[in-house]
Amino acid sequence: MFKLKNLLFLLLLPAFCYSQSSILFVGNSITYVNDLPAVFDTIARANARSIYIKSVAYPGFSLKNHLNSVLKQTHNPDFMWRERLSATDTTLPEAVRALMQRQWEYIYLQDRQSGEDSIEYALKQIRKMAPDSRIMLFGNYVYQTPESPKNEARRNLKNAKQLEKLCSLIDATLIPANTVFLEIKRSFPNEVLFDDTMHPTAFGTRIIALLLYTRMYGESGQPINRHTLAMTDRQWLIVCSTFGYK
């Protein structure tokens, strides 16, 4: 009987652990190109973490687009999201239904390349929908404009400060892809991080996933190696340099 109880415990343990951690991804093609959620899951599993993951991402969507039909009806700043909205209401946007679906431990938010005014209201409403979740706000990289590389650096640093301000308003954590990509471009100028002026390469997506993991758990994700994420020797060197791996 003792052995049977232990066997049942071991069989139930993975399911129990799986329910303890969860993350919702909300974004656009920057999130689903190269499947950021799946790459993140690979890193988490390599570190013996099991996480329930859901992703809601559509081409060109901003956070306001994800919430738009609801935001038009909720001008009252005291609107009680969880008392008025239901995860089973099929008339609601998919992202809103996902936010209502459960108490997410983490919520990853990725907006378009836009300034603070265009996303502040959406962020505040998402915080109302998920008051107890840890919100992880993606720092979009502002790609080089025709003016000069110096302008590119200046724009990214300015964007990072704007996003840090937004994070402080809603008690969120910044995923600083903008400044980290900038540092990689300075140190490894020949490494290609973008397929175009917006979407990261497969390697760029791996950097974002590692940034997310380190900010979520306060650890490096060191058990991974270059084979875990299918990297070249040069790319692994960049990862080691960026994240302090040995």
mmCIF file of all heavy atoms in Angstrom, residues 3-20 50:
data_model
loop_
_atom_site.group_PDB
_atom_site.id
_atom_site.type_symbol
_atom_site.label_atom_id
_atom_site.label_comp_id
_atom_site.label_asym_id
_atom_site.label_seq_id
_atom_site.Cartn_x
_atom_site.Cartn_y
_atom_site.Cartn_z
ATOM 1 N N LYS A 3 3.854 1.591 -1.220
ATOM 2 C CA LYS A 3 4.451 1.779 -2.541
ATOM 3 C C LYS A 3 3.424 2.312 -3.528
ATOM 4 O O LYS A 3 3.735 3.133 -4.384
ATOM 5 C CB LYS A 3 5.029 0.461 -3.042
ATOM 6 C CG LYS A 3 6.264 0.009 -2.282
ATOM 7 C CD LYS A 3 6.829 -1.258 -2.887
ATOM 8 C CE LYS A 3 8.112 -1.687 -2.147
ATOM 9 N NZ LYS A 3 8.673 -2.939 -2.703
ATOM 10 N N LEU A 4 2.168 1.822 -3.404
ATOM 11 C CA LEU A 4 1.125 2.287 -4.308
ATOM 12 C C LEU A 4 0.848 3.775 -4.105
ATOM 13 O O LEU A 4 0.698 4.529 -5.067
ATOM 14 C CB LEU A 4 -0.164 1.488 -4.074
ATOM 15 C CG LEU A 4 -1.364 1.891 -4.946
ATOM 16 C CD1 LEU A 4 -1.008 1.735 -6.421
ATOM 17 C CD2 LEU A 4 -2.584 1.052 -4.589
ATOM 18 N N LYS A 5 0.814 4.216 -2.827
ATOM 19 C CA LYS A 5 0.601 5.639 -2.545
ATOM 20 C C LYS A 5 1.712 6.492 -3.118
ATOM 21 O O LYS A 5 1.486 7.558 -3.663
ATOM 22 C CB LYS A 5 0.502 5.853 -1.034
ATOM 23 C CG LYS A 5 -0.809 5.394 -0.426
ATOM 24 C CD LYS A 5 -0.840 5.723 1.057
ATOM 25 C CE LYS A 5 -2.190 5.318 1.670
ATOM 26 N NZ LYS A 5 -2.227 5.613 3.118
ATOM 27 N N ASN A 6 2.937 6.008 -2.985
ATOM 28 C CA ASN A 6 4.072 6.758 -3.535
ATOM 29 C C ASN A 6 4.014 6.823 -5.049
ATOM 30 O O ASN A 6 4.349 7.841 -5.656
ATOM 31 C CB ASN A 6 5.392 6.118 -3.093
ATOM 32 C CG ASN A 6 5.806 6.559 -1.711
ATOM 33 O OD1 ASN A 6 6.478 7.563 -1.559
ATOM 34 N ND2 ASN A 6 5.378 5.821 -0.694
ATOM 35 N N LEU A 7 3.581 5.728 -5.677
ATOM 36 C CA LEU A 7 3.473 5.699 -7.130
ATOM 37 C C LEU A 7 2.424 6.705 -7.596
ATOM 38 O O LEU A 7 2.643 7.450 -8.555
ATOM 39 C CB LEU A 7 3.106 4.291 -7.600
ATOM 40 C CG LEU A 7 2.890 4.128 -9.122
ATOM 41 C CD1 LEU A 7 4.159 4.488 -9.883
ATOM 42 C CD2 LEU A 7 2.467 2.699 -9.441
ATOM 43 N N LEU A 8 1.264 6.738 -6.899
ATOM 44 C CA LEU A 8 0.215 7.689 -7.265
ATOM 45 C C LEU A 8 0.694 9.121 -7.093
ATOM 46 O O LEU A 8 0.396 9.997 -7.907
ATOM 47 C CB LEU A 8 -1.026 7.446 -6.400
ATOM 48 C CG LEU A 8 -1.815 6.175 -6.713
ATOM 49 C CD1 LEU A 8 -2.903 5.960 -5.663
ATOM 50 C CD2 LEU A 8 -2.439 6.255 -8.099
ATOM 51 N N PHE A 9 1.461 9.371 -6.042
ATOM 52 C CA PHE A 9 2.008 10.715 -5.811
ATOM 53 C C PHE A 9 2.925 11.139 -6.950
ATOM 54 O O PHE A 9 2.850 12.249 -7.454
ATOM 55 C CB PHE A 9 2.767 10.740 -4.483
ATOM 56 C CG PHE A 9 3.461 12.057 -4.233
ATOM 57 C CD1 PHE A 9 2.741 13.163 -3.818
ATOM 58 C CD2 PHE A 9 4.832 12.186 -4.422
ATOM 59 C CE1 PHE A 9 3.367 14.373 -3.592
ATOM 60 C CE2 PHE A 9 5.468 13.392 -4.205
ATOM 61 C CZ PHE A 9 4.723 14.491 -3.779
ATOM 62 N N LEU A 10 3.775 10.207 -7.374
ATOM 63 C CA LEU A 10 4.717 10.518 -8.452
ATOM 64 C C LEU A 10 3.988 10.747 -9.768
ATOM 65 O O LEU A 10 4.401 11.579 -10.580
ATOM 66 C CB LEU A 10 5.730 9.373 -8.608
ATOM 67 C CG LEU A 10 6.735 9.235 -7.457
ATOM 68 C CD1 LEU A 10 7.562 7.963 -7.633
ATOM 69 C CD2 LEU A 10 7.642 10.450 -7.379
ATOM 70 N N LEU A 11 2.891 10.011 -9.974
ATOM 71 C CA LEU A 11 2.129 10.192 -11.208
ATOM 72 C C LEU A 11 1.398 11.524 -11.225
ATOM 73 O O LEU A 11 1.252 12.155 -12.266
ATOM 74 C CB LEU A 11 1.115 9.051 -11.367
ATOM 75 C CG LEU A 11 1.704 7.671 -11.701
ATOM 76 C CD1 LEU A 11 0.606 6.613 -11.648
ATOM 77 C CD2 LEU A 11 2.357 7.685 -13.072
ATOM 78 N N LEU A 12 0.936 11.969 -10.056
ATOM 79 C CA LEU A 12 0.191 13.220 -9.965
ATOM 80 C C LEU A 12 1.086 14.440 -9.867
ATOM 81 O O LEU A 12 0.670 15.549 -10.173
ATOM 82 C CB LEU A 12 -0.746 13.188 -8.752
ATOM 83 C CG LEU A 12 -1.918 12.207 -8.841
ATOM 84 C CD1 LEU A 12 -2.628 12.122 -7.497
ATOM 85 C CD2 LEU A 12 -2.893 12.621 -9.932
ATOM 86 N N LEU A 13 2.322 14.261 -9.453
ATOM 87 C CA LEU A 13 3.232 15.391 -9.236
ATOM 88 C C LEU A 13 3.437 16.252 -10.469
ATOM 89 O O LEU A 13 3.368 17.480 -10.394
ATOM 90 C CB LEU A 13 4.578 14.878 -8.705
ATOM 91 C CG LEU A 13 5.610 15.955 -8.343
ATOM 92 C CD1 LEU A 13 5.032 16.871 -7.263
ATOM 93 C CD2 LEU A 13 6.910 15.319 -7.875
ATOM 94 N N PRO A 14 3.690 15.673 -11.678
ATOM 95 C CA PRO A 14 3.882 16.533 -12.851
ATOM 96 C C PRO A 14 2.679 17.418 -13.129
ATOM 97 O O PRO A 14 2.813 18.587 -13.462
ATOM 98 C CB PRO A 14 4.112 15.519 -13.993
ATOM 99 C CG PRO A 14 4.623 14.293 -13.309
ATOM 100 C CD PRO A 14 3.916 14.256 -11.992
ATOM 101 N N ALA A 15 1.460 16.853 -12.983
ATOM 102 C CA ALA A 15 0.262 17.654 -13.246
ATOM 103 C C ALA A 15 0.132 18.773 -12.222
ATOM 104 O O ALA A 15 -0.271 19.892 -12.535
ATOM 105 C CB ALA A 15 -0.978 16.756 -13.205
ATOM 106 N N PHE A 16 0.468 18.451 -10.969
ATOM 107 C CA PHE A 16 0.409 19.463 -9.915
ATOM 108 C C PHE A 16 1.371 20.606 -10.216
ATOM 109 O O PHE A 16 1.034 21.772 -10.143
ATOM 110 C CB PHE A 16 0.731 18.815 -8.573
ATOM 111 C CG PHE A 16 0.812 19.815 -7.445
ATOM 112 C CD1 PHE A 16 -0.336 20.333 -6.881
ATOM 113 C CD2 PHE A 16 2.044 20.236 -6.966
ATOM 114 C CE1 PHE A 16 -0.267 21.252 -5.843
ATOM 115 C CE2 PHE A 16 2.129 21.149 -5.931
ATOM 116 C CZ PHE A 16 0.964 21.664 -5.376
ATOM 117 N N CYS A 17 2.609 20.266 -10.575
ATOM 118 C CA CYS A 17 3.612 21.290 -10.893
ATOM 119 C C CYS A 17 3.190 22.111 -12.099
ATOM 120 O O CYS A 17 3.384 23.307 -12.147
ATOM 121 C CB CYS A 17 4.969 20.624 -11.148
ATOM 122 S SG CYS A 17 5.685 19.839 -9.688
ATOM 123 N N TYR A 18 2.599 21.448 -13.113
ATOM 124 C CA TYR A 18 2.186 22.116 -14.333
ATOM 125 C C TYR A 18 1.177 23.212 -14.037
ATOM 126 O O TYR A 18 1.176 24.250 -14.672
ATOM 127 C CB TYR A 18 1.570 21.075 -15.281
ATOM 128 C CG TYR A 18 1.332 21.559 -16.682
ATOM 129 C CD1 TYR A 18 2.387 21.726 -17.562
ATOM 130 C CD2 TYR A 18 0.053 21.852 -17.122
ATOM 131 C CE1 TYR A 18 2.164 22.161 -18.854
ATOM 132 C CE2 TYR A 18 -0.190 22.281 -18.416
ATOM 133 C CZ TYR A 18 0.878 22.429 -19.268
ATOM 134 O OH TYR A 18 0.651 22.868 -20.537
ATOM 135 N N SER A 19 0.304 22.985 -13.046
ATOM 136 C CA SER A 19 -0.740 23.959 -12.748
ATOM 137 C C SER A 19 -0.228 25.122 -11.904
ATOM 138 O O SER A 19 -0.927 26.102 -11.717
ATOM 139 C CB SER A 19 -1.901 23.276 -12.030
ATOM 140 O OG SER A 19 -1.485 22.835 -10.755
ATOM 141 N N GLN A 20 0.986 25.008 -11.394
ATOM 142 C CA GLN A 20 1.498 26.017 -10.470
ATOM 143 C C GLN A 20 2.083 27.236 -11.169
ATOM 144 O O GLN A 20 2.215 28.275 -10.576
ATOM 145 C CB GLN A 20 2.552 25.394 -9.545
ATOM 146 C CG GLN A 20 1.989 24.353 -8.599
ATOM 147 C CD GLN A 20 0.813 24.878 -7.823
ATOM 148 O OE1 GLN A 20 0.948 25.784 -7.007
ATOM 149 N NE2 GLN A 20 -0.373 24.332 -8.078
ATOM 150 N N SER A 50 8.034 23.310 -15.571
ATOM 151 C CA SER A 50 6.889 22.982 -16.403
ATOM 152 C C SER A 50 5.876 24.119 -16.296
ATOM 153 O O SER A 50 5.449 24.464 -15.201
ATOM 154 C CB SER A 50 6.259 21.663 -15.946
ATOM 155 O OG SER A 50 5.276 21.254 -16.860
#
